[in-house]
RNA sequence: UGACCUAUGGUGUAAUGGUAGCACUCCGGUUUUUGGUAUCGUCAGUCAAGGUUCGAGUCCUUGUAGGUCAACCA
């Protein structure tokens, strides 16, 4: 059989081209370079799947490199969560590295640049420097310190390093071109003074390298062949190349930066700043709130690593701005869970059914498959008795032919149990149905093989036995925002679109087999959706998150 | 009054000058002891105008639209 040719994305095409032009395959090396200043989200997952996917595809190593050059924002907590998330997604990095590992090397190279007359110390205020920088349409002007003698620069830079200056008083700048059409080339800052404790280097340094100076050189040190980042860094590429060229030795590989469009998802926001805002203002319970688009939020919500990987592959990558429909993500998790989740029964909005011809005090345990349509899931015993709960919406006193559920005088099948017929109902003073009285057909037990058990009845309902049901808190989620692109409105704040009903907490009844479920166990609650055990679960209280509801074509018809 | 990037069904992505395809969404049929799943199908697209070419989504020109760039952030 001929293997189907899979089309390449534009980055794979670039790599193929490089290989065709003589780059040896064993020189291929990638990296995922997060700044440890927040939690990873589904957009990062795109980058992770992309870089590690390339590693797998080309049998090339992929480094996990923490871009930790700003001690003001970075914390060990974030490092730990990032490592956990990458592992959880199912990827293995070659080396765990930190930009801060290269502080000494970067410093030495900076000294070299000063000696070559390619860098200088500027002691103007940031306002003055900003003014000289110009704008995208106006050229910049030179700093009065631009031609400071090399010896003086060297001495000042050393003083900066030794902590002899205040924060903000001096910077080291690359001497490139203040009239360059690219703003990033107008004598960019290489080092600033920051008298802050660093999560790894402690107080060893009080000058810290800027992103641009750090990133290309780190790629070069690690001999990354393809340094893949998002589109907003496109204009940094000139500078990336300039910096690398200052230290590039032709016997080594010269890394190449290429950019792709970041992944956006409909009905949510993706910037770390905005996500942080949601957390800090208490609009969600934390970074791992199941409504958050973070990896930890999705995990807690019940998403599987495979579903997220599959989403990334399916969505693909390109260079155009995009807002991917969250329906695709939901499709991916439903697709995975449909194949892997055991099916059980839970009633979220209960009404009591009394089976009047079932003997009082009697109970029986019915064998129920965890999955009727696939092998290997096994089964459990589900208790049945005279009183059960069904969903309120599964009963109507009267309804037309399209209503396949329980109505007076009609029959339905109870999943894994008997066929019952509604005879009458009891209502409270508000007209709400409080009890439904039914009779059952004792010969109709599921799987018993009797004539009666094979009767075709149109509806099948899920249920739990009143006596055996266990209580569970079920958290039902809706999208966090009511707008498709909450941060896409110039005149409105993204928080104006917060959905006030994004979380509904329900006291539900679940079948007793669920009693000992553990955190992150995933189930299909039949006819309702996929649910996942939440970490708030204790030995006395079960808590479930609804990952995603099942498709409900009846709800659409009924409206 | 700049430079750079991007424009393919509602959404996301292929087509590497040669039949515009795939997935999601929507809608409909079949199957079904989940109104689920599965399966079959329908609707729907190359931003515009010129040019090159036997042939253009692809190359060129000019528009138009969107995005990015002026942190001692990354």
């Amino acid at each position: 059989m001929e293997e189907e040719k899979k089309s390449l994305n534009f980055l794979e095409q670039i790599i193929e081209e490089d290989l065709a032009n003589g780059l040896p395959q064993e020189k291929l090396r990638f990296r995922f370079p997060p700044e440890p200043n927040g939690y990873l989200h589904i957009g990062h997952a795109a980058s992770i799947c992309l870089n590690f996917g390339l590693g797998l595809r080309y049998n090339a190593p992929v480094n996990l490199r923490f871009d930790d050059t700003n001690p003001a924002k970075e914390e060990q907590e974030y490092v730990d969560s990032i490592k956990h998330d990458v592992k959880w997604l199912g990827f293995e990095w070659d080396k765990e590295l930190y930009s801060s590992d290269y502080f000494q090397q970067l410093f030495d190279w900076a000294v070299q640049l000063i000696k070559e007359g390619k860098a200088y110390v500027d002691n103007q205020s940031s306002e003055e420097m900003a003014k000289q920088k110009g704008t995208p349409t106006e050229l910049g002007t030179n700093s009065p310190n631009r031609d400071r003698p090399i010896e003086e620069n060297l001495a000042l830079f050393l003083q900066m390093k030794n902590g002899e200056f205040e924060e903000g008083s001096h910077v080291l700048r690359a001497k490139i071109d203040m009239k360059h059409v690219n703003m990033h080339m107008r004598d960019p800052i290489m080092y600033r003074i920051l008298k802050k404790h660093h999560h790894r280097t402690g107080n060893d340094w009080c000058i810290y390298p800027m992103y641009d100076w750090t990133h290309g050189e780190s790629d070069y040190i690690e001999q990354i062949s393809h340094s893949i980042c998002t589109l907003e860094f496109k204009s940094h590429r000139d500078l990336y190349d300039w910096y690398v060229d200052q230290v590039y030795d032709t016997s080594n590989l010269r890394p190449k930066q290429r950019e792709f469009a970041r992944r956006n998802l409909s009905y949510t926001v993706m910037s770390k700043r905005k996500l942080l805002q949601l957390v800090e203002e208490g609009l969600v319970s934390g970074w791992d709130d199941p409504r958050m688009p973070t990896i930890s939020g999705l995990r807690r919500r019940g998403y599987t690593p495979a579903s997220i990987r599959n989403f990334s592959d399916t969505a693909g990558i390109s260079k155009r701005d995009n807002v991917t429909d969250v329906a695709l993500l939901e499709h991916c998790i439903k697709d995975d869970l449909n194949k892997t989740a055991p099916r059980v029964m839970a009633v979220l909005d209960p009404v009591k059914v009394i089976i009047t011809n079932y003997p009082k005090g009697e109970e029986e345990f019915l064998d129920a498959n965890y999955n009727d349509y696939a092998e290997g899931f096994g089964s459990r015993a589900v208790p049945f008795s005279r009183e059960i709960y069904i969903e309120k919406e599964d009963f109507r006193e009267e309804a037309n032919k399209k209503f396949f559920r329980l109505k007076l005088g009609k029959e339905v099948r109870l999943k894994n149990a008997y066929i019952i017929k509604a005879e009458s109902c009891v209502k409270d003073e508000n007209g709400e149905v409080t009890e439904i009285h039914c009779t059952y057909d004792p010969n109709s037990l599921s799987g018993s093989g009797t004539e009666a058990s094979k009767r075709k009845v149109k509806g099948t309902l899920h249920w739990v036995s009143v006596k055996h049901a266990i209580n569970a808190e079920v958290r039902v989620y809706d999208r966090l925002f009511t707008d498709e692109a909450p941060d896409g409105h110039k005149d409105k704040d993204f928080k104006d679109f917060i959905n006030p009903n994004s979380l509904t907490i329900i006291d539900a009844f679940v079948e007793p087999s669920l009693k000992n479920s553990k955190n992150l166990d995933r189930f299909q609650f039949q006819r309702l959706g996929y649910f996942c055990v939440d970490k708030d679960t204790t030995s006395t209280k079960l808590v479930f998150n609804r990952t995603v509801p099942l498709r409900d074509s009846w709800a659409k018809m009924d409206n």
Side-chain angles (χ1 to χ4, degrees):
Chain A
M1 201 173 75
E2 200 168 315
E3 200 178 319
E4 200 176 318
K5 218 180 275 179
K6 190 186 163 257
S7 61
L8 304 177
N9 65 47
F10 79 99
L11 290 169
E12 290 164 340
Q13 287 172 29
I14 287 170
I15 292 167
E16 294 288 339
E17 205 178 305
D18 289 340
L19 291 173
N21 288 335
L23 177 70
Q25 173 143 355
E26 61 271 18
K27 294 254 182 184
L28 251 24
R29 183 180 283 271
F30 309 98
R31 108 265 91 118
F32 172 62
E35 182 187 13
N37 68 342
Y39 283 69
L40 260 25
H41 54 63
I42 187 78
H44 293 108
S47 174
I48 293 168
C49 292
L50 175 62
N51 281 294
F52 284 93
L54 288 170
L56 258 19
R57 181 188 182 102
Y58 293 101
N59 192 27
V62 184
N63 290 343
L64 173 62
R65 181 169 75 230
F66 291 96
D67 218 336
D68 56 348
T69 58
N70 185 359
K73 288 186 176 175
E74 295 150 7
E75 290 171 30
Q76 187 60 38
E77 176 198 349
Y78 297 130
V79 170
D80 296 338
S81 80
I82 289 168
K83 286 167 66 177
H84 182 237
D85 286 350
V86 174
K87 271 188 214 160
W88 180 77
L89 280 172
F91 296 110
E92 276 179 50
W93 52 83
D94 181 41
K95 297 187 184 112
E96 176 186 335
L97 298 167
Y98 295 80
S99 294
S100 54
D101 293 340
Y102 313 133
F103 281 172
Q104 185 61 48
Q105 173 70 80
L106 290 165
F107 176 81
D108 293 343
W109 275 333
V111 168
Q112 178 192 318
L113 255 62
I114 294 171
K115 286 179 178 166
E116 291 170 359
K118 291 172 175 169
Y120 62 97
V121 172
D122 204 341
N123 59 331
Q124 299 181 96
S125 68
S126 58
E127 294 76 23
E128 283 171 307
M129 286 193 283
K131 212 185 296 169
Q132 290 155 7
K133 194 148 195 174
T135 70
T137 56
E138 286 169 77
L139 300 181
T141 53
N142 287 351
S143 162
N145 301 310
R146 199 168 197 266
D147 294 315
R148 199 193 290 277
I150 289 176
E151 287 311 316
E152 200 178 316
N153 283 323
L154 233 31
L156 286 170
F157 188 47
L158 234 45
Q159 284 180 280
M160 281 171 64
K161 182 192 187 245
N162 292 337
E164 294 173 34
F165 297 129
E166 291 302 304
E167 273 189 25
S169 64
H170 294 68
V171 292
L172 182 72
R173 291 228 256 171
K175 193 193 276 192
I176 306 180
D177 181 1
M178 289 305 288
K179 294 186 166 46
H180 201 287
V181 67
N182 183 343
M183 298 278 302
H184 293 102
M185 299 295 273
R186 324 243 258 232
D187 289 9
I189 293 172
M190 295 172 69
Y191 275 93
R192 78 287 210 189
I193 299 168
L194 245 31
K195 298 193 172 172
K196 296 242 161 47
H197 183 269
H198 185 280
H199 71 109
R200 296 190 78 244
T201 61
N203 297 320
D204 292 352
W205 296 85
C206 62
I207 56 171
Y208 289 91
M210 300 287 287
Y211 164 83
D212 289 293
W213 171 237
T214 307
H215 208 89
E217 313 310 274
S218 301
D219 287 340
Y220 179 67
I221 292 167
E222 293 174 24
Q223 288 289 281
I224 301 301
S225 60
H226 298 265
S227 178
I228 298 167
C229 60
T230 45
L231 235 34
E232 66 269 26
F233 289 100
K234 175 63 169 63
S235 59
H236 293 240
R237 195 152 107 192
D238 287 340
L239 184 54
Y240 179 99
D241 288 338
W242 190 90
Y243 278 142
V244 169
D245 284 339
Q246 302 315 307
V247 302
Y248 173 50
D249 176 326
T250 52
S251 64
N252 290 326
L253 175 147
R254 186 173 176 281
K256 179 184 262 195
Q257 173 184 302
R258 288 298 180 270
E259 311 81 13
F260 71 100
R262 61 170 358 122
R263 175 123 339 257
N264 298 300
L265 247 202
S266 62
Y267 295 101
T268 191
V269 293
M270 210 74 101
S271 88
K272 271 187 197 170
R273 205 194 90 241
K274 295 193 177 94
L275 295 175
L276 180 65
Q277 221 175 316
L278 293 172
V279 173
E280 285 183 339
E281 295 178 23
L283 296 164
V284 296
S285 64
W287 286 100
D288 69 346
D289 186 297
R291 292 165 293 184
M292 291 281 271
T294 50
I295 304 292
S296 47
L298 291 167
R299 175 169 54 234
R300 189 171 171 190
R301 177 81 170 249
Y303 277 76
T304 58
S307 69
I308 293 174
R309 277 188 260 118
N310 190 241
F311 169 74
S312 292
D313 285 352
T314 309
I317 63 145
S318 69
K319 293 176 79 165
R320 46 172 177 156
D321 293 329
N322 60 81
V323 183
T324 301
D325 194 337
V326 70
L328 181 61
L329 217 211
E330 290 170 351
H331 164 78
C332 289
I333 187 57
K334 280 188 273 192
D335 189 48
D336 189 11
L337 260 16
N338 176 47
K339 293 172 192 142
T340 57
R343 279 120 230 247
V344 296
M345 294 194 286
V347 176
L348 300 195
D349 186 19
V351 60
K352 192 185 278 186
V353 169
I354 298 174
I355 300 162
T356 53
N357 60 338
Y358 194 89
K360 279 184 187 166
E362 191 161 312
E363 60 183 41
E364 59 187 309
F365 286 81
L366 310 173
D367 187 48
N369 292 328
Y370 277 118
N371 188 330
D372 286 336
Y373 312 95
E375 300 291 319
F377 281 82
S379 67
R380 80 289 187 194
V382 178
F384 184 80
S385 64
R386 191 171 190 264
E387 296 190 358
I388 61 169
Y389 291 120
I390 65 168
E391 302 286 346
K392 268 187 191 141
E393 64 164 23
D394 282 342
F395 173 75
R396 286 184 191 174
E397 287 179 82
E398 288 175 39
N400 64 26
K401 282 210 296 277
K402 286 187 170 176
F403 186 77
F404 303 158
R405 308 177 181 192
L406 191 61
K407 56 186 166 185
L408 293 180
K410 293 289 180 188
E411 289 186 320
V412 291
R413 154 82 57 192
L414 293 175
K415 179 73 185 172
N416 295 126
Y418 299 96
I419 294 171
I420 59 170
K421 182 181 185 180
E423 307 287 359
S424 63
C425 63
V426 179
K427 286 187 263 188
D428 66 13
E429 63 274 17
N430 301 318
E432 283 276 311
V433 174
T434 54
E435 260 176 31
I436 305 160
H437 291 201
C438 294
T439 52
Y440 85 119
D441 178 348
N443 296 318
S444 63
L445 181 62
S446 279
S448 62
T450 62
E451 209 57 36
S453 73
K454 291 177 184 163
R455 276 165 51 211
K456 296 283 176 200
V457 280
K458 191 61 189 168
T460 301
L461 306 185
H462 62 276
W463 53 274
V464 281
S465 163
V466 171
K467 180 184 163 195
H468 306 88
I470 50 180
N471 288 88
E473 176 179 320
V474 174
R475 299 173 183 170
V476 173
Y477 301 100
D478 195 358
R479 28 195 64 143
L480 228 201
F481 295 93
T482 54
D483 190 86
E484 215 177 281
D487 52 3
H489 302 263
K490 290 204 165 72
D491 49 337
K492 281 185 179 161
D493 188 72
F494 75 101
K495 284 178 290 173
D496 293 349
F497 298 102
I498 290 228
N499 176 5
N501 305 312
S502 61
L503 168 61
T504 309
I505 296 177
I506 291 173
D507 278 320
F509 292 111
V510 303
E511 62 167 78
S513 73
L514 260 25
K515 191 169 196 313
N516 297 315
S517 334
K518 300 185 308 293
N519 186 25
L520 293 182
D521 282 352
R522 303 178 183 94
F523 301 94
Q524 183 193 103
F525 288 178
Q526 257 166 142
R527 300 212 302 137
L528 298 175
Y530 295 100
F531 294 75
C532 167
V533 177
D534 189 80
K535 68 177 186 185
D536 289 347
T537 293
T538 64
S539 57
T540 55
K541 182 188 177 197
L542 270 173
V543 180
F544 288 94
N545 294 313
R546 187 177 74 180
T547 308
V548 63
L550 252 28
R551 192 221 295 251
D552 187 355
S553 38
W554 162 247
K556 285 173 188 166
M557 280 170 58
D558 197 32
N559 285 328

